[in-house]
Amino acid sequence: MKVSIIESRCQGHARCAHFAPEIFIINDEGYASVNPEFATVPVELREKARKACGNCPEKAIELRE
Ligand code: F3S
């Protein structure tokens, strides 16, 4: 599974970092990026990645299996 942020959609709701703090980093401006260490999501974090994706109000998180 790969995860990425569609930057043009991110509005800084930070729900991604709430559900998967290992994967998502909120920058100084309040927008999300993916921790490069987890851009390929390890098995144990996949459920968290799905939750983050499902809870982003802007649909700014892209998951590819
Ligand atoms: Fe951005 Fe969605 Fe996270 S708007 S900060 S990717 S919850």
Side-chain angles (χ1 to χ4, degrees):
M1 176 191 279
K2 304 252 188 200
V3 62
S4 58
I5 299 281
I6 303 166
E7 290 178 12
S8 59
R9 289 194 190 167
C10 178
Q11 296 294 318
H13 295 289
R15 298 181 72 173
C16 51
H18 172 75
F19 284 103
E22 301 90 343
I23 300 172
F24 299 99
I25 299 163
I26 304 297
N27 68 22
D28 291 344
E29 277 98 47
Y31 297 106
S33 61
V34 172
N35 179 344
E37 199 180 329
F38 296 125
T40 299
V41 183
V43 173
E44 65 270 21
L45 292 179
R46 286 181 186 171
E47 196 47 46
K48 285 185 170 186
R50 288 193 190 97
K51 267 198 185 141
C53 182
N55 280 280
C56 173
E58 308 299 334
K59 305 277 177 253
I61 299 168
E62 188 170 64
L63 287 183
R64 282 156 289 140
E65 299 288 342

